[in-house]
Amino acid sequence: GNSVTQMEGPVTLSEEAFLTINCTYTATGYPSLFWYVQYPGEGLQLLLKATKADDKGSNKGFEATYRKETTSFHLEKGSVQVSDSAVYFCALRLSSNTGKLIFGQGTTLQVKP
Amino acid sequence: NAGVTQTPKFQVLKTGQSMTLQCAQDMNHNSMYWYRQDPGMGLRLIYYSASEGTTDKGEVPNGYNVSRLNKREFSLRLESAAPSQTSVYFCASSPQGDYSNQPQHFGDGTRLSIL
């Protein structure tokens, strides 16, 4: 079936460290891929997206590249800040007319000063 | 610009009680969704409405019902609450479901505890 797998957290980093959060997927067809971020007490916000193979999504210093050959969409940031502390969700959207998202389990990031 | 508004934000129920979670969006979106979020499990789709007048089951529909009241509003009802339904519930909307890559917009969630 269709699924998304993320690396388990929590991930704890010092400020200005390099961040990678791994995400792999299993899907039929050609899904679109998304990263959402959830700050404490809030709903999810779209961070970035990629709609086809080799696309790179980017926003607020975060990047992720849609790798069809490895079915991956890893999230990276070169220098994290304390304000990046949040839960990050990888998600896929199948090429269908429902718009449904399938989420990974989420990865908690804690950035320490 | 309110976006997606959920009410209530917090609720405590006793086992067997019923309640309705309300969701409204002001972005003229066609599609709306209800998810539950549980630790270590990400978000799981309960029900969705691809367009006004239609509703369909998601991954975990048992114990829930929904109503797409109009284009703006999509409610989730627990007829007889059970402790296993303790969770954070999120409503989301998106412009259209048909081959769209537009993101879903989420409300701030309803934290529901069932004793």
Side-chain angles (χ1 to χ4, degrees), chain B residues 6-52:
Chain B
Q6 292 184 235
T7 55
K9 294 190 184 303
F10 302 94
Q11 185 71 48
V12 179
L13 294 178
K14 294 181 179 179
T15 297
Q17 287 185 316
S18 63
M19 81 161 295
T20 300
L21 281 62
Q22 306 288 351
C23 174
Q25 51 89 10
D26 61 2
M27 296 173 282
N28 200 36
H29 286 170
N30 288 326
S31 301
M32 298 185 74
Y33 312 84
W34 276 106
Y35 296 90
R36 59 178 289 173
Q37 182 181 24
D38 301 294
M41 302 187 75
L43 277 76
R44 293 180 292 169
L45 184 65
I46 305 171
Y47 270 94
Y48 66 99
S49 172
S51 61
E52 187 179 358

Side-chain angles (χ1 to χ4, degrees), chain A residues 51-109:
Chain A
T51 59
K52 60 183 186 297
D54 299 324
D55 269 2
K56 177 185 283 187
S58 61
N59 186 25
K60 300 181 181 179
F62 291 89
E63 293 183 341
T65 300
Y66 187 162
R67 301 285 189 201
K68 189 167 179 62
E69 64 275 13
T70 55
T71 61
S72 65
F73 193 54
H74 305 320
L75 182 68
E76 297 181 336
K77 187 175 185 182
S79 176
V80 294
Q81 306 299 314
V82 172
S83 57
D84 294 326
S85 298
V87 181
Y88 292 81
F89 292 93
C90 185
L92 70 82
R93 184 173 185 172
L94 298 171
S95 300
S96 68
N97 64 351
T98 66
K100 294 186 292 183
L101 288 172
I102 297 170
F103 285 90
Q105 69 268 40
T107 301
T108 299
L109 171 65

Side-chain angles (χ1 to χ4, degrees), chain A residues 32 34 36 38 40-46 49 51 87 89 93 95-106, chain B residues 31 33 35 37 40-43 45 48 50 57 90 94 96-104 106-109 111:
Chain A
S32 296
F34 302 83
Y36 280 83
Q38 183 182 32
E42 298 183 9
L44 279 70
Q45 305 172 25
L46 178 70
K49 68 178 183 181
T51 59
V87 181
F89 292 93
R93 184 173 185 172
S95 300
S96 68
N97 64 351
T98 66
K100 294 186 292 183
L101 288 172
I102 297 170
F103 285 90
Q105 69 268 40
Chain B
S31 301
Y33 312 84
Y35 296 90
Q37 182 181 24
M41 302 187 75
L43 277 76
L45 184 65
Y48 66 99
K57 295 178 179 179
F90 287 99
S94 65
Q96 61 184 59
D98 192 14
Y99 299 100
S100 170
N101 293 312
Q102 295 299 312
Q104 291 185 13
F106 284 79
D108 287 341
R111 284 147 184 83

Side-chain angles (χ1 to χ4, degrees), chain B residues 52-69:
Chain B
E52 187 179 358
T54 68
T55 60
D56 287 286
K57 295 178 179 179
E59 182 184 358
V60 288
N62 291 344
Y64 306 94
N65 286 300
V66 290
S67 295
R68 183 73 182 269
L69 304 170

